[in-house]
């Protein structure tokens, strides 16, 4: 079998870049709205240390609505920083979707303005 | 009227925008988010007017800044139909829904008593999943007639790009629509219905300040408008009484027998829909399926087939629909298929094995009964997939499948499968389903260079064979101006004429033009 070495190299590199870390949690009814939001964060010395978000990031982009999905991704560069600092400095990017707001259901009434 | 300026915000985009499935990127300037009013009023004329004002404010700002503008919902399309280098106007937060009351229906409405019970006014950003959940509830007891395989799209996005299913004798999702509220630029708005199918008394359009147009050609242009006519803010759809579907899938001739093959018996069913002619697909009680989808794996030899059949059953009052997503288990991450795709570009010999594994993972042969909204829910929330289609008259189905298998033999193996679907003809001018029974091959699989090369080869191959064909606007397609002209003929001209009629100002036409349209001659 002919093996395409440049191809293998590219593929292996892309696996490294894309597969450093990803952790996702989503609502069971999964009703995300709008475009994906991204938030860069750095944790220094874990929960006992400092975080660029203090005790947590407030997703003001959602205007008070819930979160539909949160994904924490760490790419190759962020992984290397974590590695060379023995995990003391741990950068990541948090991607999230806001939950779609519930709109009042229709009423059985004749009161709505021509509709 | 309250000060609603906060209903509109502008989010500049520093990095290229990606669609939901991450198959395309676009260097947009930013996104206008249009929010539902914060005081959460019921969905009615006042609310619609408040939202209209903000959408048209966004359009005016885009125009003043020299941006092009496209409406966006979930960004579900796999093609670059929604892409722009200007502004996206995100309508996904606008998801009002309400049934139409009998006294609002025009006396000339041609629907029967049941149809009159099933008219719904839906705002552009309502997801198909939300519509299913709302109308299938005990309170309303209605159902969509068809939808795509997944339900995460908005009603406006899914219908403007031609989303379809495989419900036999039934059209595509856009064929539910019987009235359209169109914002044709930053000041004009129209209420469109077919002259041959009036729906509402003029009171609604009057309450919205929209000009009523009852014209078959204009309606049939806008209902498959590809975002080129402006922004569709609301639609009225027809629904049917809710029902259950008994879904069965087969991959073997008998429960323990040999695998189903793309053999003479299967070819007969695919071309004639004569289910009694096939020993496995014949119904025990003589009933005909509501939904039929054979999926062909071109990388097995001879090609193997997995069949999905669904039979209509009466609604069971004890049935409680479950719309939740299944709990996750150990499995592939988002980029897994992309990496596998790159791997398969290098080791093509692995394609048949991967295809077998993927089919086994994606298609369960376990029977299931549920409502339309339950069975056509989210499959996986988000994955990067390759997807294209070719649609032909049913009597050219087998020839088309043979040509696709030939392409795979020539340039593959490609990590793709062929899902065969059936869609009734639509009156929409640029509908993919323009043949009496349109046979659609949905070609789906892993996104890699071989898959993209396969997609590039489809249109020339089918053209060379002299088969009339169309392609899905929202998936990877090989449309050029000449191919669109060949596919749609006079309807293409009528569609462009309609655009000039509804957007007479060249600046408004330019506002809604993107590269996708220019590359296909839709901007003329």
């Amino acid at each position: 079998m002919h093996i395409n070495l440049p191809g293998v190299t590219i593929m292996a590199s892309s696996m490294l870049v894309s597969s450093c870390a990803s952790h996702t949690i989503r609502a069971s009814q999964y009703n995300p709205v709008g475009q994906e939001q991204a938030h860069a964060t750095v944790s220094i010395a874990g929960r006992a240390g400092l975080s660029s978000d203090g005790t947590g990031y407030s997703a003001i982009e959602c205007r008070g609505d819930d979160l539909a999905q949160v994904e924490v991704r760490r790419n190759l560069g962020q992984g290397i920083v974590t590695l060379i600092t023995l995990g003391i400095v741990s950068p990541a990017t948090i991607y999230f979707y806001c939950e779609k707001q519930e709109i009042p259901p229709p009423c059985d009434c004749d009161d709505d303005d021509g509709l | 009227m309250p000060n609603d300026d906060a209903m509109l915000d502008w989010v500049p985009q520093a990095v290229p925008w990606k669609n939901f499935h991450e198959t395309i990127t676009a260097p947009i300037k930013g996104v206008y988010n249009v929010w539902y009013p914060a005081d959460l009023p019921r969905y009615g004329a006042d609310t619609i007017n408040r939202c209209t004002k903000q959408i048209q404010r966004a359009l005016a700002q885009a125009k003043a800044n020299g941006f092009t503008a496209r409406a966006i919902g979930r960004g579900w399309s796999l093609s670059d139909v929604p892409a722009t280098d200007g502004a996206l106007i995100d309508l996904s937060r606008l998801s009002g829904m309400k049934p139409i009351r009998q006294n609002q229906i025009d006396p000339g409405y041609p629907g029967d008593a049941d149809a009159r019970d099933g008219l719904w006014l839906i705002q552009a950003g309502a997801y198909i999943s939300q519509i299913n959940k709302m109308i299938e509830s005990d309170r309303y007891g209605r159902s969509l007639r068809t939808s795509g395989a997944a339900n995460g799209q908005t009603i406006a996005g899914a219908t403007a790009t031609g989303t379809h299913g495989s419900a036999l004798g039934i059209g595509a999702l856009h064929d539910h629509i019987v009235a359209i509220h169109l914002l044709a630029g930053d000041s004009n708005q129209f209420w469109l219905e077919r002259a041959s199918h009036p729906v509402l008394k003029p009171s609604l359009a009057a309450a919205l300040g929209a000009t009523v147009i009852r014209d078959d050609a204009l309606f049939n242009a806008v209902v498959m408008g590809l975002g080129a006519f402006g922004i569709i803010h609301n639609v009225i759809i027809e629904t049917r009484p809710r029902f259950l579907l008994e879904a069965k899938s087969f991959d073997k001739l008998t429960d323990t027998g040999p695998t189903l093959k793309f053999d003479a018996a299967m070819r007969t069913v695919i071309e004639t829909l004569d289910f009694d002619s096939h020993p496995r697909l014949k119904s025990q009680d003589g009933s005909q399926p509501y939904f039929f989808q054979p999926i062909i794996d071109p990388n097995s030899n001879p090609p193997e087939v997995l069949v999905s059949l669904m039979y209509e059953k009466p609604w069971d009052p004890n049935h409680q629909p479950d719309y939740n997503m299944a709990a996750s288990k150990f499995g592939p991450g988002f980029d897994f298929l992309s990496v596998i795709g790159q791997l398969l570009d290098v080791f093509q010999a692995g394609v048949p094995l991967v295809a077998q594994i993927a089919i086994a993972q994606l298609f369960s042969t376990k029977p299931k009964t549920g409502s339309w909204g339950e069975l056509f829910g989210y499959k996986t929330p988000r994955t990067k997939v390759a997807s294209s289609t070719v649609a032909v008259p049913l009597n050219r189905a087998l020839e088309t499948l043979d040509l696709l298998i030939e392409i795979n033999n020539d340039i593959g193996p490609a990590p793709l499968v062929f899902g065969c679907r059936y869609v009734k003809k639509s009156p929409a001018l640029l509908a993919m389903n323009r043949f009496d029974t349109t046979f659609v091959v949905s070609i789906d699989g892993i996104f890699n260079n071989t898959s993209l090369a396969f997609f590039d080869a489809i249109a020339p191959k089918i053209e060379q064979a002299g088969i009339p064909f169309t392609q899905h606007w929202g998936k990877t397609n090989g449309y050029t101006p000449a191919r669109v002209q060949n596919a749609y003929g006079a309807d293409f001209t009528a569609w462009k004429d309609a655009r000039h009629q509804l957007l007479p100002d060249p600046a408004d036409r330019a506002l809604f033009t993107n590269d996708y349209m220019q590359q296909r001659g839709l901007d003329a």
Side-chain angles (χ1 to χ4, degrees):
Chain A
M1 185 194 297
H2 170 70
I3 295 178
N4 178 342
L5 275 179
V8 172
T9 309
I10 292 167
M11 186 273 300
S13 308
S14 67
M15 284 182 85
L16 280 175
V17 170
S18 65
S19 66
C20 278
S22 169
H23 308 278
T24 304
I25 189 163
R26 71 177 65 90
S28 65
Q29 297 228 355
Y30 191 58
N31 223 9
V33 75
Q35 310 305 304
E36 188 176 57
Q37 316 276 343
H39 172 70
T41 183
V42 181
S43 169
I44 302 168
R47 296 186 79 185
L50 302 171
S51 166
S52 58
D53 297 322
T55 54
Y57 175 70
S58 297
I60 51 172
E61 295 85 346
C62 297
R63 293 195 179 184
D65 294 333
D66 293 338
L67 292 167
Q69 175 174 304
V70 178
E71 180 185 3
V72 180
R73 281 183 226 163
R74 182 179 293 137
N75 63 26
L76 183 64
Q78 293 167 329
I80 288 172
V81 170
T82 307
L83 183 70
I84 62 178
T85 61
L86 300 177
I88 294 169
V89 178
S90 181
T93 309
I94 303 170
Y95 293 84
F96 61 94
Y97 280 101
C98 306
E99 179 77 9
K100 196 167 191 175
Q101 185 180 47
E102 287 291 331
I103 287 172
C107 67
D108 290 324
C109 48
D110 271 348
D111 64 352
D112 22 333
D113 47 35
L115 282 181
Chain B
M1 184 175 284
N3 181 353
D4 285 333
D5 285 358
M7 283 174 61
L8 182 70
D9 64 31
W10 166 251
V11 182
Q13 186 92 2
V15 296
W17 172 84
K18 289 180 182 175
N19 64 339
F20 186 76
H21 292 98
E22 297 192 9
T23 53
I24 61 154
T25 57
I28 64 168
K29 302 285 190 305
V31 180
Y32 286 106
N33 293 311
V34 185
W35 293 75
Y36 199 81
D39 53 329
L40 293 179
R42 288 194 189 278
Y43 174 57
D46 286 346
T47 306
I48 292 172
N49 288 337
R50 291 169 71 183
C51 297
T52 293
K53 189 177 170 190
Q54 300 310 318
I55 298 169
Q56 293 198 312
R57 191 157 74 94
L59 289 172
Q61 286 181 14
K63 210 167 161 182
N65 288 324
F67 299 161
T68 54
R70 304 285 290 182
I72 193 74
R74 293 300 294 126
W76 201 268
S77 288
L78 292 130
S79 73
D80 45 6
V81 60
T84 175
D85 57 4
L88 291 175
I89 300 178
D90 189 333
L91 304 183
S92 59
R93 293 168 180 83
L94 307 182
S95 48
M97 291 178 262
K98 68 186 304 178
I100 296 296
R101 295 193 307 273
Q102 295 286 333
N103 62 4
Q104 297 170 313
I105 300 173
D106 188 284
Y109 175 62
D112 60 15
D114 174 70
R116 297 172 74 89
D117 279 342
L119 292 168
W120 277 76
L121 178 67
I122 312 269
Q123 206 170 15
Y127 299 164
I128 304 303
S129 56
Q130 291 182 294
I131 297 170
N132 285 330
K133 204 170 160 184
M134 173 72 80
I135 70 175
E136 287 178 3
S137 64
D138 287 342
R139 181 173 172 191
Y140 299 111
R142 307 297 297 186
S143 174
L144 295 177
R145 298 183 191 117
T146 188
S147 68
N151 65 8
Q153 320 92 326
T154 60
I155 183 77
T159 55
T161 52
T163 302
H164 64 93
S166 190
L168 301 176
I170 290 170
L173 195 57
H174 52 84
D175 294 312
H176 288 87
I177 296 180
V178 291
I180 299 168
H181 177 212
L182 175 72
L183 309 183
D186 56 354
S187 55
N188 293 334
Q189 47 173 323
F190 300 110
W191 183 265
L192 289 149
E193 296 177 359
R194 292 186 180 98
S196 61
H197 200 99
V199 183
L200 287 196
K201 292 174 182 168
S203 54
L204 170 58
L208 302 182
T211 305
V212 177
I213 299 178
R214 283 184 171 164
D215 182 299
D216 283 23
L218 289 180
F219 182 92
N220 290 334
V222 176
V223 75
M224 179 52 65
L226 303 168
F229 288 83
I231 292 187
I232 290 176
H233 183 188
N234 300 275
V235 294
I236 289 188
I237 63 168
E238 290 179 329
T239 62
R240 56 154 291 168
R242 69 180 172 179
F243 62 121
L244 290 175
L245 284 164
E246 189 180 71
K248 299 174 178 177
S249 295
F250 309 110
D251 59 355
K252 292 186 170 60
L253 195 54
T254 61
D255 287 347
T256 55
T259 310
L260 286 172
K261 299 282 194 297
F262 186 47
D263 55 13
M266 185 61 72
R267 291 172 74 92
T268 300
V269 181
I270 286 175
E271 190 180 35
T272 64
L273 297 174
D274 177 8
F275 297 95
D276 291 339
S277 69
H278 195 283
R280 182 60 161 166
L281 307 186
K282 187 160 71 174
S283 162
Q284 302 300 318
D285 60 5
S287 56
Q288 292 297 298
Y290 187 91
F291 176 98
F292 173 51
Q293 177 180 247
I295 297 166
I296 300 170
D297 172 13
N299 294 311
S300 48
N301 190 16
E304 294 177 356
V305 183
L306 186 142
V307 171
S308 293
L309 285 168
M310 296 186 190
Y311 294 90
E312 180 176 350
K313 301 289 172 194
W315 185 262
D316 175 357
N318 296 318
H319 181 79
Q320 292 297 319
D322 177 7
Y323 301 101
N324 287 330
M325 287 181 67
S328 296
K329 54 187 180 185
F330 189 78
F334 177 81
D335 277 335
F336 178 80
L337 290 179
S338 312
V339 175
I340 289 291
Q342 291 170 55
L343 188 63
L344 293 177
D345 268 338
V346 181
F347 302 109
Q348 284 203 319
V351 169
L353 177 64
V354 170
Q356 289 283 324
I357 294 169
I359 289 170
Q361 286 292 312
L362 290 172
F363 303 106
S364 164
T365 53
K366 197 174 157 189
K368 187 176 178 189
T369 298
S371 68
W372 188 270
E374 282 178 284
L375 294 182
F376 294 92
Y378 281 105
K379 298 295 183 290
T380 51
R382 198 178 183 204
T383 43
K384 186 172 184 176
V385 291
S387 191
S388 183
T389 59
V390 58
V392 299
L394 181 56
N395 63 1
R396 310 298 292 269
L398 296 177
E399 205 180 334
T400 302
L401 286 170
D402 290 339
L403 289 170
L404 294 175
I405 291 170
E406 208 173 292
I407 295 173
N408 193 52
N409 292 338
D410 289 346
I411 66 167
L416 300 166
V417 294
F418 306 154
C420 305
R421 296 175 184 164
Y422 300 80
V423 195
K424 187 180 156 190
K425 184 176 182 174
S426 170
L429 297 179
L430 292 191
M432 180 180 71
N433 50 324
R434 64 183 280 106
F435 310 110
D436 285 338
T437 296
T438 301
F439 178 76
V440 184
V441 190
S442 183
I443 305 153
D444 305 316
I446 294 172
F447 192 93
N448 71 359
N449 290 333
T450 316
S451 296
L452 296 181
F454 188 105
F455 295 161
D456 286 344
I458 295 171
K461 189 83 170 179
I462 305 294
E463 229 162 34
Q464 203 177 24
I467 300 173
F469 73 99
T470 55
Q471 293 195 275
H472 195 309
W473 295 100
K475 295 184 178 181
T476 305
N477 62 66
Y479 275 147
T480 61
R483 285 185 182 135
V484 177
Q485 182 63 52
N486 284 341
Y488 294 98
D491 286 345
F492 182 33
T493 309
W495 187 89
K496 289 184 287 189
D497 289 347
R499 190 162 181 259
H500 280 253
Q501 199 172 329
L502 292 170
L503 294 171
D505 183 348
D508 282 335
R509 291 199 297 278
L511 180 65
F512 299 114
T513 297
N514 65 358
D515 289 350
Y516 178 92
M517 290 174 59
Q518 288 171 334
Q519 288 157 7
R520 288 155 182 82
L522 298 162
D523 60 321

